[in-house]
Amino acid sequence: MPDLRVLYLIGNPVVKLIKNYRKIIISKCKQLKYLDDRPVFDDERRRVTVWSNTLELYNDIEKANEAERNEIILIKKEKDLHDERNHLAFCEIMKQGQEIRKQRELEQNNVITTTNINQFSGETIVNIPESEELKKIRQERWNNAATDSNPVNDVKSTIPIQTVFKFKENVDENNLLSLD
């Protein structure tokens, strides 16, 4: 019987004759994995082993039961300690993840600030050098707008066509410029 792994005795009259039937069977059959309608878990085997050893040593059922209760308390403390370690490890992983996320956000914000991006449209702002003629025309328009009560609405009418062509020559081939 040392290799017995499954034992089903439900309905057998011998069960009623053996006091502490489950504990005794589990303690005698070391390889037993399933007894009647329930599995034999490691915690149960550990409790039963302590119970059985104490019963054999002192031949006192009360001391055996007390030893089993103490083993149950010890098992619970071990599980709580294990859970606490897992919780602390998880918290550490979360903390590291938050640090990584924070670092990525900082890097992303630095990239956004170093590249000129329009905060409203999200498009990249292209730096285009302004010609002296356009600067002069812009300044004149500001001066006229400040003094004139009826500012000009049509931009095309105030910029000479030669200046527009000169302005377009300063733009890269990849960047398109439209004055419409």
Side-chain angles (χ1 to χ4, degrees):
M1 274 202 353
D3 291 331
L4 185 65
R5 297 194 192 292
V6 178
L7 181 61
Y8 190 81
L9 293 175
I10 290 183
N12 193 320
V14 76
V15 172
K16 294 178 184 175
L17 299 176
I18 302 173
K19 191 172 182 179
N20 297 309
Y21 153 76
R22 185 167 178 88
K23 291 179 185 178
I24 290 183
I25 297 295
I26 291 172
S27 68
K28 299 298 180 192
C29 301
K30 306 289 186 204
Q31 299 299 318
L32 194 64
K33 300 291 181 194
Y34 212 88
L35 178 59
D36 295 333
D37 59 346
R38 292 190 330 224
V40 178
F41 292 108
D42 292 335
D43 291 348
E44 183 181 17
R45 180 166 306 282
R46 187 172 154 186
R47 287 185 351 230
V48 166
T49 302
V50 169
W51 178 86
S52 174
N53 291 343
T54 306
L55 185 63
E56 288 177 15
L57 185 64
Y58 296 106
N59 200 22
D60 184 5
I61 194 75
E62 288 304 317
K63 285 187 179 180
N65 288 337
E66 181 65 27
E68 182 183 12
R69 282 191 291 273
N70 290 338
E71 190 67 19
I72 290 170
I73 292 169
L74 182 63
I75 289 170
K76 179 160 179 14
K77 285 181 182 178
E78 289 173 359
K79 283 185 177 182
D80 289 346
L81 183 63
H82 183 263
D83 290 344
E84 181 65 21
R85 274 189 254 134
N86 282 345
H87 176 71
L88 291 175
F90 179 74
C91 287
E92 184 61 30
I93 291 170
M94 289 292 294
K95 185 178 176 183
Q96 290 172 358
Q98 289 171 343
E99 289 296 322
I100 291 170
R101 181 178 179 189
K102 189 176 182 180
Q103 186 65 30
R104 284 183 186 158
E105 287 175 354
L106 285 173
E107 289 172 3
Q108 187 178 17
N109 286 342
N110 287 342
V111 167
I112 288 174
T113 20
T114 56
T115 62
N116 294 328
I117 295 182
N118 186 318
Q119 63 181 357
F120 302 107
S121 68
E123 296 175 346
T124 304
I125 298 172
V126 180
N127 290 330
I128 301 173
E130 189 174 28
S131 70
E132 288 300 320
E133 288 181 68
L134 281 176
K135 284 181 187 177
K136 186 193 252 183
I137 293 170
R138 181 176 37 84
Q139 190 60 42
E140 287 176 12
R141 288 193 65 223
W142 276 110
N143 293 339
N144 290 341
T147 57
D148 193 11
S149 62
N150 194 6
V152 177
N153 292 330
D154 187 13
V155 174
K156 291 180 187 176
S157 64
T158 60
I159 301 175
I161 195 70
Q162 296 83 8
T163 306
V164 171
F165 286 123
K166 190 178 230 181
F167 181 75
K168 283 187 178 181
E169 290 174 1
N170 291 332
V171 176
D172 291 345
E173 294 175 3
N174 297 333
N175 298 317
L176 300 175
L177 177 66
S178 173
L179 294 178
D180 292 332

